[in-house]
Amino acid sequence: MHKITIDDIEKEPDKTLRYEFDDFMQEFGTDVHADLEFKSLGEFIEAAGKITGKLKLTCDRCLNEFDYDLDIDIDETFAKYALQDEYSQEFELKGEQFVTDLNGEKEIDVYDLLYQSVILALPNKKVCGINCNEGMFASDETNQVHDSRMDIFKTIKIERKE
Ligand SMILES: [Zn+2]
């Protein structure tokens, strides 16, 4: 089930395992494709590659479904063994690169890596097009929900008029 072991990576001649993922992801209701490369660097495993696919998202303004193209670069580092205790499970390295601790686990869950990467890449506001619904969100009209993130959007609209 889309898991690779550290041994799989290290028995490759150049300690680099290519992995092609092409499967239906139930959480997103769609097929997702990914070309990945896992490289063993001693204590660390580096994962790099690209995720592509088409998601059906619901527009926050008009509530219609629209196609959203996935085009995500993967750049992840896994630590084979537990890092020092003062670090949390995921810590920041060199300012922007995150390291996931495998805590001595001998395998990497590729499905989970892709799932997390897609979730992180999705926009906060899902909008089918910039002119949709004259910039109004469905929740603006009903006024049933107050979303503090909406306040930012209102500010932007006012600034544009001036
Ligand atoms: Zn829309």
Side-chain angles (χ1 to χ4, degrees), residues 3-20 35-40 45-48 108 110:
K3 287 188 177 173
I4 55 169
T5 66
I6 291 170
D7 283 347
D8 288 340
I9 301 168
E10 296 194 331
K11 76 185 180 200
E12 292 291 315
D14 51 359
K15 297 196 173 191
T16 302
L17 178 77
R18 294 184 58 90
Y19 191 93
E20 194 177 321
D35 283 309
L36 302 167
E37 242 182 44
F38 294 88
K39 193 183 186 76
S40 173
I45 304 282
E46 215 172 63
I108 293 172
V110 177

Short mmCIF file of all heavy atoms in Angstrom, two decimals, residues 3-20 35-40 45-48 108 110:
data_model
loop_
_atom_site.label_atom_id
_atom_site.label_comp_id
_atom_site.label_asym_id
_atom_site.label_seq_id
_atom_site.Cartn_x
_atom_site.Cartn_y
_atom_site.Cartn_z
N LYS A 3 3.98 1.94 0.42
CA LYS A 3 5.01 2.18 1.43
C LYS A 3 6.34 1.69 0.87
O LYS A 3 6.40 0.67 0.19
CB LYS A 3 4.69 1.42 2.72
CG LYS A 3 3.54 2.06 3.47
CD LYS A 3 3.32 1.44 4.82
CE LYS A 3 2.20 2.19 5.54
NZ LYS A 3 1.80 1.55 6.78
N ILE A 4 7.39 2.44 1.14
CA ILE A 4 8.71 1.98 0.71
C ILE A 4 9.59 1.86 1.95
O ILE A 4 9.43 2.60 2.91
CB ILE A 4 9.36 2.95 -0.30
CG1 ILE A 4 9.41 4.36 0.27
CG2 ILE A 4 8.61 2.95 -1.62
CD1 ILE A 4 10.27 5.27 -0.57
N THR A 5 10.49 0.90 1.92
CA THR A 5 11.36 0.72 3.08
C THR A 5 12.70 1.41 2.81
O THR A 5 13.08 1.65 1.66
CB THR A 5 11.62 -0.77 3.37
OG1 THR A 5 12.38 -1.30 2.27
CG2 THR A 5 10.31 -1.54 3.52
N ILE A 6 13.36 1.73 3.89
CA ILE A 6 14.68 2.35 3.78
C ILE A 6 15.63 1.39 3.07
O ILE A 6 16.47 1.79 2.27
CB ILE A 6 15.18 2.76 5.18
CG1 ILE A 6 14.31 3.93 5.69
CG2 ILE A 6 16.64 3.20 5.13
CD1 ILE A 6 14.53 4.28 7.12
N ASP A 7 15.46 0.09 3.32
CA ASP A 7 16.29 -0.91 2.64
C ASP A 7 16.11 -0.84 1.12
O ASP A 7 17.08 -0.97 0.37
CB ASP A 7 15.92 -2.32 3.11
CG ASP A 7 16.50 -2.62 4.49
OD1 ASP A 7 17.38 -1.85 4.94
OD2 ASP A 7 16.07 -3.62 5.10
N ASP A 8 14.86 -0.67 0.68
CA ASP A 8 14.60 -0.53 -0.76
C ASP A 8 15.44 0.59 -1.36
O ASP A 8 15.97 0.47 -2.47
CB ASP A 8 13.12 -0.19 -1.03
CG ASP A 8 12.19 -1.37 -0.77
OD1 ASP A 8 12.69 -2.52 -0.76
OD2 ASP A 8 10.98 -1.14 -0.57
N ILE A 9 15.51 1.70 -0.64
CA ILE A 9 16.24 2.87 -1.14
C ILE A 9 17.74 2.57 -1.16
O ILE A 9 18.43 2.84 -2.14
CB ILE A 9 15.96 4.11 -0.25
CG1 ILE A 9 14.46 4.43 -0.23
CG2 ILE A 9 16.75 5.32 -0.75
CD1 ILE A 9 14.05 5.43 0.84
N GLU A 10 18.21 1.95 -0.09
CA GLU A 10 19.67 1.79 0.06
C GLU A 10 20.24 0.67 -0.79
O GLU A 10 21.44 0.64 -1.04
CB GLU A 10 20.01 1.63 1.54
CG GLU A 10 19.62 2.91 2.27
CD GLU A 10 20.19 3.03 3.67
OE1 GLU A 10 20.41 1.97 4.28
OE2 GLU A 10 20.39 4.16 4.11
N LYS A 11 19.38 -0.25 -1.24
CA LYS A 11 19.94 -1.31 -2.08
C LYS A 11 20.03 -0.89 -3.55
O LYS A 11 20.61 -1.61 -4.36
CB LYS A 11 19.15 -2.61 -1.90
CG LYS A 11 17.81 -2.67 -2.57
CD LYS A 11 17.10 -3.97 -2.21
CE LYS A 11 15.74 -4.04 -2.88
NZ LYS A 11 14.84 -4.99 -2.23
N GLU A 12 19.48 0.28 -3.88
CA GLU A 12 19.67 0.82 -5.23
C GLU A 12 21.14 1.20 -5.40
O GLU A 12 21.77 1.67 -4.44
CB GLU A 12 18.80 2.07 -5.44
CG GLU A 12 17.31 1.81 -5.45
CD GLU A 12 16.85 1.03 -6.68
OE1 GLU A 12 17.29 1.36 -7.79
OE2 GLU A 12 16.05 0.09 -6.51
N PRO A 13 21.69 1.02 -6.60
CA PRO A 13 23.12 1.31 -6.81
C PRO A 13 23.53 2.71 -6.35
O PRO A 13 24.57 2.88 -5.73
CB PRO A 13 23.30 1.16 -8.32
CG PRO A 13 22.11 0.41 -8.81
CD PRO A 13 21.01 0.57 -7.82
N ASP A 14 22.72 3.71 -6.66
CA ASP A 14 23.08 5.07 -6.25
C ASP A 14 22.26 5.52 -5.04
O ASP A 14 22.15 6.71 -4.77
CB ASP A 14 22.89 6.04 -7.43
CG ASP A 14 21.50 5.90 -8.06
OD1 ASP A 14 20.72 5.04 -7.58
OD2 ASP A 14 21.19 6.63 -9.00
N LYS A 15 21.72 4.55 -4.32
CA LYS A 15 20.92 4.83 -3.11
C LYS A 15 19.78 5.81 -3.38
O LYS A 15 19.41 6.62 -2.54
CB LYS A 15 21.81 5.35 -1.98
CG LYS A 15 22.83 4.31 -1.54
CD LYS A 15 23.43 4.63 -0.21
CE LYS A 15 24.31 3.47 0.26
NZ LYS A 15 24.73 3.58 1.63
N THR A 16 19.28 5.74 -4.61
CA THR A 16 18.17 6.61 -5.00
C THR A 16 17.08 5.74 -5.61
O THR A 16 17.32 5.03 -6.58
CB THR A 16 18.63 7.67 -6.01
OG1 THR A 16 19.69 8.42 -5.43
CG2 THR A 16 17.49 8.61 -6.37
N LEU A 17 15.89 5.81 -5.04
CA LEU A 17 14.77 5.00 -5.51
C LEU A 17 13.74 5.91 -6.18
O LEU A 17 13.28 6.89 -5.60
CB LEU A 17 14.11 4.26 -4.34
CG LEU A 17 12.89 3.40 -4.67
CD1 LEU A 17 13.34 2.10 -5.33
CD2 LEU A 17 12.08 3.10 -3.43
N ARG A 18 13.44 5.56 -7.42
CA ARG A 18 12.38 6.31 -8.11
C ARG A 18 11.05 5.63 -7.82
O ARG A 18 10.95 4.40 -7.85
CB ARG A 18 12.64 6.34 -9.62
CG ARG A 18 13.89 7.12 -10.01
CD ARG A 18 14.00 7.17 -11.51
NE ARG A 18 12.81 7.79 -12.09
CZ ARG A 18 12.68 9.09 -12.31
NH1 ARG A 18 13.67 9.90 -12.03
NH2 ARG A 18 11.58 9.58 -12.84
N TYR A 19 10.04 6.43 -7.54
CA TYR A 19 8.73 5.86 -7.21
C TYR A 19 7.66 6.62 -7.97
O TYR A 19 7.56 7.84 -7.87
CB TYR A 19 8.48 5.96 -5.70
CG TYR A 19 7.27 5.18 -5.23
CD1 TYR A 19 7.41 3.88 -4.77
CD2 TYR A 19 6.00 5.75 -5.24
CE1 TYR A 19 6.31 3.15 -4.33
CE2 TYR A 19 4.89 5.04 -4.81
CZ TYR A 19 5.06 3.74 -4.35
OH TYR A 19 3.96 3.03 -3.93
N GLU A 20 6.87 5.87 -8.73
CA GLU A 20 5.79 6.50 -9.47
C GLU A 20 4.47 6.13 -8.81
O GLU A 20 4.17 4.95 -8.64
CB GLU A 20 5.81 6.05 -10.93
CG GLU A 20 4.94 6.91 -11.81
CD GLU A 20 5.02 6.51 -13.28
OE1 GLU A 20 6.13 6.16 -13.74
OE2 GLU A 20 3.97 6.51 -13.94
N ASP A 35 5.59 11.69 -9.43
CA ASP A 35 6.91 11.13 -9.73
C ASP A 35 7.84 11.56 -8.62
O ASP A 35 8.06 12.75 -8.41
CB ASP A 35 7.43 11.69 -11.07
CG ASP A 35 6.75 11.02 -12.24
OD1 ASP A 35 6.73 9.78 -12.26
OD2 ASP A 35 6.22 11.74 -13.11
N LEU A 36 8.37 10.58 -7.92
CA LEU A 36 9.16 10.89 -6.74
C LEU A 36 10.53 10.22 -6.79
O LEU A 36 10.70 9.18 -7.44
CB LEU A 36 8.43 10.41 -5.48
CG LEU A 36 7.03 10.98 -5.26
CD1 LEU A 36 6.32 10.21 -4.17
CD2 LEU A 36 7.10 12.46 -4.90
N GLU A 37 11.46 10.82 -6.07
CA GLU A 37 12.79 10.25 -5.92
C GLU A 37 13.18 10.29 -4.46
O GLU A 37 13.14 11.35 -3.83
CB GLU A 37 13.81 11.08 -6.72
CG GLU A 37 14.47 10.29 -7.82
CD GLU A 37 15.52 11.12 -8.57
OE1 GLU A 37 16.31 11.82 -7.91
OE2 GLU A 37 15.51 11.05 -9.81
N PHE A 38 13.49 9.12 -3.92
CA PHE A 38 13.93 9.04 -2.53
C PHE A 38 15.41 8.73 -2.51
O PHE A 38 15.85 7.74 -3.09
CB PHE A 38 13.15 7.94 -1.79
CG PHE A 38 11.69 8.25 -1.65
CD1 PHE A 38 10.80 7.87 -2.65
CD2 PHE A 38 11.20 8.91 -0.53
CE1 PHE A 38 9.44 8.16 -2.53
CE2 PHE A 38 9.84 9.20 -0.41
CZ PHE A 38 8.97 8.83 -1.41
N LYS A 39 16.16 9.59 -1.85
CA LYS A 39 17.61 9.45 -1.84
C LYS A 39 18.10 9.31 -0.41
O LYS A 39 17.72 10.09 0.46
CB LYS A 39 18.22 10.72 -2.48
CG LYS A 39 19.68 10.61 -2.84
CD LYS A 39 20.15 11.96 -3.38
CE LYS A 39 21.57 11.91 -3.90
NZ LYS A 39 21.71 11.24 -5.20
N SER A 40 18.92 8.30 -0.18
CA SER A 40 19.47 8.10 1.16
C SER A 40 20.76 8.90 1.32
O SER A 40 21.68 8.79 0.51
CB SER A 40 19.74 6.62 1.40
OG SER A 40 20.43 6.46 2.63
N ILE A 45 16.81 10.83 4.71
CA ILE A 45 16.27 10.44 3.41
C ILE A 45 15.65 11.70 2.81
O ILE A 45 14.86 12.38 3.45
CB ILE A 45 15.13 9.39 3.55
CG1 ILE A 45 15.59 8.15 4.32
CG2 ILE A 45 14.56 9.04 2.18
CD1 ILE A 45 16.42 7.18 3.54
N GLU A 46 16.04 11.99 1.58
CA GLU A 46 15.51 13.17 0.92
C GLU A 46 14.48 12.73 -0.11
O GLU A 46 14.75 11.84 -0.92
CB GLU A 46 16.66 13.89 0.21
CG GLU A 46 16.53 15.39 0.22
CD GLU A 46 17.80 16.02 -0.34
OE1 GLU A 46 18.10 15.78 -1.52
OE2 GLU A 46 18.48 16.70 0.43
N ALA A 47 13.29 13.34 -0.07
CA ALA A 47 12.24 13.03 -1.04
C ALA A 47 12.00 14.26 -1.90
O ALA A 47 11.82 15.36 -1.38
CB ALA A 47 10.95 12.63 -0.33
N ALA A 48 12.04 14.07 -3.23
CA ALA A 48 11.80 15.19 -4.13
C ALA A 48 10.96 14.70 -5.29
O ALA A 48 10.98 13.53 -5.64
CB ALA A 48 13.12 15.76 -4.64
N ILE A 108 8.63 4.44 4.75
CA ILE A 108 8.02 5.74 4.52
C ILE A 108 6.68 5.50 3.85
O ILE A 108 6.58 4.74 2.88
CB ILE A 108 8.93 6.61 3.62
CG1 ILE A 108 10.21 6.97 4.38
CG2 ILE A 108 8.20 7.87 3.16
CD1 ILE A 108 11.25 7.67 3.53
N VAL A 110 4.22 6.60 1.47
CA VAL A 110 4.18 7.54 0.34
C VAL A 110 2.79 8.18 0.24
O VAL A 110 2.66 9.37 -0.03
CB VAL A 110 4.54 6.83 -0.98
CG1 VAL A 110 4.42 7.78 -2.16
CG2 VAL A 110 5.95 6.26 -0.90
#
